[in-house]
Amino acid sequence: MKKYLDILSDMEQKMNEGQFVSGQKLPSVRDAAKQYGCSVSTITRAYSELTKRHAIYSIAQSGFYVVEKPGNRLDVPESKTTDFASAMADPGVFPYLDFQHCLNKAVDTYKYDLFTCGDSKGMESLRHTLVSHLAGDQVFAKAEQIIVMSGVSPALEILARMPFPNGNPVILVEQPSYDIYLRFLEAEGIPVCGIARTKAGIDLRELEEKFRQGGIKFFYTMPRYHNPLGTSYSAEERKTIARLASKYDVYIVEDDYMADLGEEPGLDPIYAYNGTSHVVYLKSFSKIIFPGLRLGAAVLPEKLLKAFCERKRYADTSLLSQAALEVYIKNGMYERHKRNIYSQYAARIRALNEAVRLHNDAGLLEISDIRTGVFVQFKLPQTVNLERLIERLASKNINVVSGKRFYLSDYLEREKFLRISISRAQPEQIEDGVWEIIDEVHREVKRQNTFKK
Ligand SMILES: Cc1ncc(COP(=O)(O)O)c(C=O)c1O
């Protein structure tokens, strides 16, 4: 008995000390039995316990491998560019090895079934797994209400095109808002109007007025880690939006594209405050795992299910991705990865805030108090020429995104800002990058002042 526990802790120690590294193949059961001078069954038991603890995983007909540890980064080639523009997850924090383990496990478990097309609503077992996964975020839904999508984007498109029970035509969007969706709505000629959202939040009286005036089919919103502002709504704002939705029969499309990328103690999604009648909750797995997985989930009020499913007749998401995600959630790897990615991004946001504190002594940048997520808005003086600023920064290998594109083409009350994303900015690049931005803004302001004289 003691022997087994000694072997188990010796193996764990080797992994902690780096003698067995992520992805490394462990000795075969027979070889390990020889090394430890014990029986094959003792090693089999130790490996099976380590598998249960998610320290190792098995690949059929190959052997046992060490699972990826938090903090283990893939070797991504170093770049001279400071990328404050890209919103994609950092490939250096992608959970490659863990996910590989889940893909193998998925194939082992589901075999041939994975290579069919499957149900257009998504894999039955994944939808059941998502019931408890979403409940962890206070999104309580039955499996029948959950549709597995190939990301949030196709769900947004279907919702824009389908009729809603309130019979209204107009989509209300925050200004600024997710640029790609705005361009989609404009290209499709779908009636859309805007309401200002700033770092201070949204004017709830104006929102009520818009809901009251009628004509609004749904209000598209990102309550947490708004793209591009980076801010989140307070509990009060969420509760009020939920209440107004029911009062005026306006639907809310809640885009939780950054779900799990941070902690918001005491803040639940709008869905949780609405009694589920008027809120469509959308969750993406692109930012937290990787975008190429193309997986997301739509949780729909019962009244919308039929119209939505009529427009989602095709099984457009691979069963392999779905089954691997199911394994990834069920075996606890998702939860662990979430903490890892969250702490890495939070450290980058801290570095960004610190750099602004150190170098923004003239107060040219206005930023909001953001601790988690990926985006921060750098609000600029109105006199700054944004295009020239961005070009000059690009010539210094600093990529940033203009705030302009996050507005509807005919929306006039715009703020002037840069959207800063930390998901691909490496921690060691952040301070210099922020310094350069502030320096260039200084030059811009000076240039304008000289021009005026
Ligand atoms: C606000 C917002 N919603 C949705 C998406 C797309 O999500 P998915 O990859 O799940 O389609 C993005 C992508 O950046 C986004 O910024």
Side-chain angles (χ1 to χ4, degrees):
M1 186 67 176
K2 188 157 185 310
K3 191 104 191 159
Y4 155 72
L5 289 176
D6 287 345
I7 293 169
L8 189 62
S9 71
D10 184 68
M11 286 176 174
E12 280 194 312
Q13 197 177 345
K14 283 192 168 118
M15 282 184 256
N16 291 336
E17 288 171 357
Q19 289 186 50
F20 290 155
V21 296
S22 294
Q24 183 179 331
K25 188 173 178 186
L26 292 177
S28 70
V29 174
R30 226 169 270 284
D31 287 350
K34 261 193 222 144
Q35 281 166 22
Y36 283 106
C38 65
S39 68
V40 165
S41 67
T42 306
I43 297 295
T44 309
R45 195 169 155 216
Y47 279 2
S48 130
E49 180 57 27
L50 288 170
T51 308
K52 259 198 243 145
R53 293 182 188 183
H54 309 300
I56 64 172
Y57 58 91
S58 63
I59 296 183
Q61 266 119 47
S62 174
F64 288 89
Y65 294 80
V66 180
V67 161
E68 200 162 17
K69 289 197 196 69
N72 270 0
R73 293 178 54 87
L74 178 93
D75 279 333
V76 179
E78 268 185 35
S79 162
K80 278 206 209 105
T81 303
T82 303
D83 187 355
F84 283 134
S86 176
M88 303 250 255
D90 182 348
V93 296
F94 282 176
Y96 286 105
L97 294 174
D98 279 357
F99 212 75
Q100 190 180 27
H101 163 55
C102 296
L103 283 166
N104 288 320
K105 189 102 191 143
V107 176
D108 270 359
T109 311
Y110 292 104
K111 304 209 164 46
Y112 310 107
D113 291 345
L114 281 194
F115 303 98
T116 62
C117 269
D119 188 328
S120 64
K121 291 181 184 160
M123 250 177 96
E124 179 81 18
S125 54
L126 173 61
R127 291 166 73 205
H128 282 279
T129 302
L130 287 175
V131 169
S132 48
H133 176 75
L134 293 169
D137 241 342
Q138 303 301 307
V139 175
F140 297 103
K142 292 181 266 180
E144 305 85 78
Q145 284 173 264
I146 302 174
I147 313 290
V148 179
M149 307 291 302
S150 56
V152 156
S153 315
L156 286 173
E157 292 192 5
I158 293 177
L159 291 164
R161 289 193 180 117
M162 69 182 237
F164 271 49
N166 59 21
N168 293 334
V170 182
I171 296 177
L172 179 64
V173 294
E174 294 156 336
Q175 287 293 268
S177 183
Y178 177 35
D179 53 339
I180 295 181
Y181 195 41
L182 298 184
R183 298 295 86 78
F184 166 80
L185 295 174
E186 288 180 332
E188 291 283 312
I190 291 168
V192 53
C193 75
I195 178 166
R197 178 166 173 181
T198 65
K199 72 184 174 83
I202 194 169
D203 182 338
L204 290 166
R205 261 176 295 180
E206 189 186 346
L207 186 74
E208 176 157 12
E209 203 38 49
K210 295 227 186 262
F211 281 15
R212 193 206 318 270
Q213 275 166 13
I216 308 287
K217 171 169 140 176
F218 67 76
F219 172 43
Y220 168 63
T221 178
M222 286 162 264
R224 55 173 159 180
Y225 318 127
H226 181 270
N227 180 8
L229 300 176
T231 49
S232 299
Y233 280 139
S234 65
E236 219 31 62
E237 282 169 315
R238 294 172 200 220
K239 274 184 210 161
T240 309
I241 293 170
R243 182 175 57 75
L244 295 177
S246 302
K247 183 168 173 191
Y248 294 102
D249 191 21
V250 168
Y251 286 80
I252 308 296
V253 171
E254 177 169 30
D255 183 351
D256 205 4
Y257 73 115
M258 287 263 183
D260 300 326
L261 269 190
E263 278 168 3
E264 293 186 297
L267 289 183
D268 293 334
I270 298 176
Y271 183 94
Y273 297 116
N274 185 261
T276 75
S277 71
H278 277 78
V279 182
V280 177
Y281 175 83
L282 302 176
K283 172 163 185 160
S284 174
F285 292 98
S286 297
K287 303 282 179 212
I288 185 96
I289 310 180
F290 24 73
L293 191 63
R294 299 312 307 140
L295 275 182
V299 181
L300 293 144
E302 266 164 22
K303 273 199 212 155
L304 298 186
L305 263 175
K306 187 165 173 280
F308 189 91
C309 292
E310 274 169 3
R311 284 156 186 82
K312 204 224 173 260
R313 290 212 174 273
Y314 305 103
D316 55 350
T317 311
S318 109
L319 284 176
L320 190 58
S321 292
Q322 295 186 54
L325 177 66
E326 185 194 325
V327 175
Y328 194 65
I329 293 174
K330 271 190 175 160
N331 70 10
M333 283 178 175
Y334 185 93
E335 202 53 35
R336 206 186 52 193
H337 173 64
K338 172 176 132 176
R339 287 205 200 101
N340 175 29
I341 197 167
Y342 158 66
S343 68
Q344 292 203 38
Y345 285 171
R348 293 180 199 189
I349 297 258
R350 272 199 302 280
L352 188 86
N353 285 329
E354 181 57 15
V356 173
R357 197 184 62 75
L358 280 175
H359 303 298
N360 189 34
D361 38 1
L364 289 177
L365 293 186
E366 243 187 78
I367 74 164
S368 24
D369 181 20
I370 288 176
R371 312 280 167 91
T372 50
V374 159
F375 299 126
V376 178
Q377 180 197 31
F378 276 10
K379 200 171 152 206
L380 305 169
Q382 280 295 343
T383 51
V384 166
N385 179 325
L386 258 184
E387 280 74 25
R388 190 168 51 213
L389 174 70
I390 289 167
E391 256 174 46
R392 287 190 58 89
L393 287 168
S395 73
K396 294 181 162 181
N397 288 323
I398 295 174
N399 289 348
V400 290
V401 167
S402 161
K404 226 172 162 179
R405 63 156 93 158
F406 301 96
Y407 289 100
L408 291 166
S409 316
D410 60 359
Y411 192 83
L412 300 176
E413 293 150 49
R414 304 172 177 197
E415 292 187 327
K416 196 162 266 192
F417 70 93
L418 300 174
R419 185 195 71 180
I420 301 295
S421 163
I422 52 79
S423 65
R424 291 220 174 180
Q426 299 308 311
E428 61 282 3
Q429 299 175 313
I430 289 176
E431 186 181 347
D432 285 353
V434 169
W435 186 86
E436 293 282 8
I437 295 174
I438 293 175
D439 188 50
E440 279 302 329
V441 175
H442 247 287
R443 275 173 213 266
E444 268 297 320
V445 172
K446 252 204 219 143
R447 189 179 283 129
Q448 294 300 329
N449 288 345
T450 321
F451 197 60
K452 267 195 227 152
K453 278 180 195 161

